[in-house]
Amino acid sequence: MPETSNAAIGGSAIPGRVPFLRPILAIETSCDETAAAVVNADGMLVAHEVYSQVKEHAAFGGVVPEVASRRHIEVLPELVEEVLGEAAKAGVVPEAVAVTRGPGLVGSLLVGVQFAQAWAGARRLPLLGVHHLAGHLHAVLLEDASWPMPYLALIVSGGHTSLVDVAGAGVYRVFARTVDDAAGEAFDKAARLLGLGYPGGPAVAAAAETAGGDRERLVESLMTHSPDFSFSGLKTALRKAMTGVVPDARRIAVLAASFQDAVVEALAVKVERALRERRPERFLLTGGVASNRALRERIAGICGAAGVTFAVPRPAYCTDNAAMIAMAARAGAGRLMTRDESADPSLEL
Ligand code: KG4
Ligand code: ZN
C-alpha cells in the first residue's frame, strides 16, 4: 500500500477535526460486542449490525478477554460481509475504513484493527483510527445529523464515567471523572452481589422496575465537594445490606431500585452543578448506562429545568456499536493510521 497522505482523507490538510464526508465502513470490537456499519457520503446509516457476545460470557459472570477476542475473529468477517451487502443494495461502496483503535481489551481491539488494516490496505483506502469515547460522543449524530458543537456530555459506560466539554471533533476536555468504579461497572458489580447475573445494568434495571416505590437507604449522602464521581462506597453499602440475610426476590428488587436511584442521584448532582457552572446550550447523555430509563428521565428533567437542549441516543446507539464510530470519523474525530500503528488499549481521549 502506498503511504496514505492527508490529501487522501477528503483533501483536508489536517487529519481529524474537519468533517470527512465519504462513505465509511466502520468496525468496533473494543469489548464484547462485534459491530460493523456503513454510512453513505451524506451521513446516512445504510447498514448496521451488532453481534452481542453476552451469552458466551454469561456463564463466567463477566467478560472473559480470551473468549471475546476469539469470538471477534469468528464473527467479524461475516458481519462485515453482511453490512457490505446491505450497503451495496443501497448503492454505497465504502471509500474509507474507520476502526476503534482504543481504549478497550487489547486482544479484542487487535482483531478489529488488524482486520480493518488488511481490508483497507488491500483496497488502498485510508484507515481512520477512532477513540472509543469519541464514538459515544458523536453517537448523537445518529439521532440528529445537525446536532451542533460545542456541547457538554456525560459518558456513562462500563469503563468510563466522565463529564466532557466537546469543543469540536477531536477537541475534548474531560473535566470530571470517576475516582474508582465506572457507573456501568458499579451496575455490573451490584448485579453480581444481588445474584442477578450478567450483564448487570439491564438486570438491575429490570429488577428495579418491579420494586414499586419501596426503597432502602444505602448510604447517607453521595454528595461530595469534589467534581469527580465515586461509586465504591455504594457498592460496599450494598454488600453490607446483603450480608447475613437470605434475601427474597422482593428485597432484591428493593435493593436494586435503591442502588439504581443512588447511582442516578450521584450522576444527577454533578450534571446539575456542571450546567450551573458552565451554562452550556446543549447536553448529551451517552454510553451503555445511558440506556437506563431512570437515568434518561432524570437528566432530561434537569436539562429541561435549566433550559438546556438535551439529547440521548436510543438505547441501541448508547451501547457499543459501529455506527457511532462511523459518525465520529465523519465528524472529523478520526486519525489517519499508518501501517505500523496498531491498537492502543490505553489511548487517551
Ligand atoms: O458503552 P458500553 O456498551 O460498553 C463500554 O464502553 O463499556 O457500556 C456497557 C455498560 C455495562 O456496564 C452495562 O451493564 C451498562 O452499560 N448498561 C446499563 C444498562 N444497559 C447497559 N446500565 C444500567 N442500565 C441499563 N439499562
Ligand atoms: Zn462503550
Side-chain angles (χ1 to χ4, degrees):
M1 185 176 82
E3 277 307 316
T4 355
S5 71
N6 289 344
I9 59 162
S12 154
I14 317 161
R17 301 182 191 220
V18 289
F20 178 74
L21 310 177
R22 304 239 199 125
I24 302 171
L25 164 67
I27 290 168
E28 152 69 45
T29 62
S30 65
C31 190
D32 61 339
E33 262 97 21
T34 319
V38 177
V39 290
N40 72 9
D42 298 324
M44 260 181 60
L45 187 63
V46 293
H48 175 236
E49 296 291 339
V50 180
Y51 173 82
S52 168
Q53 301 181 3
V54 157
K55 282 199 199 102
E56 277 97 331
H57 301 284
F60 303 99
V63 179
V64 184
E66 182 56 33
V67 174
S69 39
R70 217 175 309 141
R71 203 70 185 117
H72 285 311
I73 293 173
E74 289 161 2
V75 173
L76 185 60
E78 214 176 299
L79 214 65
V80 168
E81 276 308 305
E82 232 173 279
V83 295
L84 290 173
E86 288 166 46
K89 275 188 219 151
V92 178
V93 178
E95 292 175 21
V97 181
V99 66
T100 304
R101 192 175 170 204
L105 300 171
V106 64
S108 290
L109 287 166
L110 275 171
V111 176
V113 169
Q114 289 183 350
F115 183 97
Q117 249 158 352
W119 201 92
R123 290 159 186 80
R124 304 187 170 224
L125 297 179
L127 175 64
L128 299 164
V130 175
H131 193 288
H132 181 75
L133 296 186
H136 283 304
L137 288 173
H138 294 285
V140 62
L141 296 170
L142 292 161
E143 301 293 4
D144 178 358
S146 57
W147 175 267
M149 290 179 269
Y151 53 95
L152 289 193
L154 172 64
I155 305 177
V156 270
S157 71
H160 295 85
T161 303
S162 304
L163 276 163
V164 187
D165 190 342
V166 180
V171 191
Y172 315 114
R173 206 175 74 75
V174 178
F175 62 90
R177 65 193 82 226
T178 179
V179 295
D180 40 57
D181 295 341
E185 191 182 359
F187 267 101
D188 294 335
K189 287 179 177 171
R192 218 169 298 152
L193 285 168
L194 295 169
L196 294 171
Y198 170 87
V204 170
E209 295 283 344
T210 68
D214 293 347
R215 297 291 184 271
E216 262 180 51
R217 181 170 281 261
L218 289 173
V219 282
E220 279 310 310
S221 168
L222 282 165
M223 283 174 72
T224 63
H225 293 297
S226 158
D228 289 328
F229 303 97
S230 168
F231 297 103
S232 66
L234 193 51
K235 182 185 61 192
T236 308
L238 190 63
R239 184 176 295 125
K240 269 193 201 146
M242 289 290 289
T243 307
V245 283
V246 185
D248 57 11
R250 176 80 207 137
R251 176 117 197 277
I252 295 289
V254 170
L255 285 174
S258 308
F259 172 85
Q260 177 174 275
D261 275 11
V263 172
V264 168
E265 209 40 44
L267 294 167
V269 166
K270 304 291 160 90
V271 169
E272 256 173 340
R273 184 193 294 181
L275 297 188
R276 205 168 49 238
E277 290 176 356
R278 292 167 188 267
R279 305 198 167 279
E281 272 181 44
R282 283 167 291 277
F283 191 87
L284 170 70
L285 175 65
T286 190
V289 183
S291 18
N292 186 280
R293 196 179 57 79
L295 180 63
R296 296 165 80 92
E297 286 173 4
R298 184 81 170 92
I299 304 296
I302 290 171
C303 288
V308 174
T309 305
F310 173 71
V312 58
R314 72 193 71 172
Y317 297 153
C318 283
T319 48
D320 288 351
N321 65 85
M324 69 182 194
I325 300 302
M327 286 303 167
R330 183 178 162 81
R335 297 290 153 134
L336 198 60
M337 283 178 74
T338 59
R339 263 184 306 172
D340 42 314
E341 281 177 317
S342 188
D344 182 352
S346 48
L347 193 64
E348 297 282 339
L349 187 65

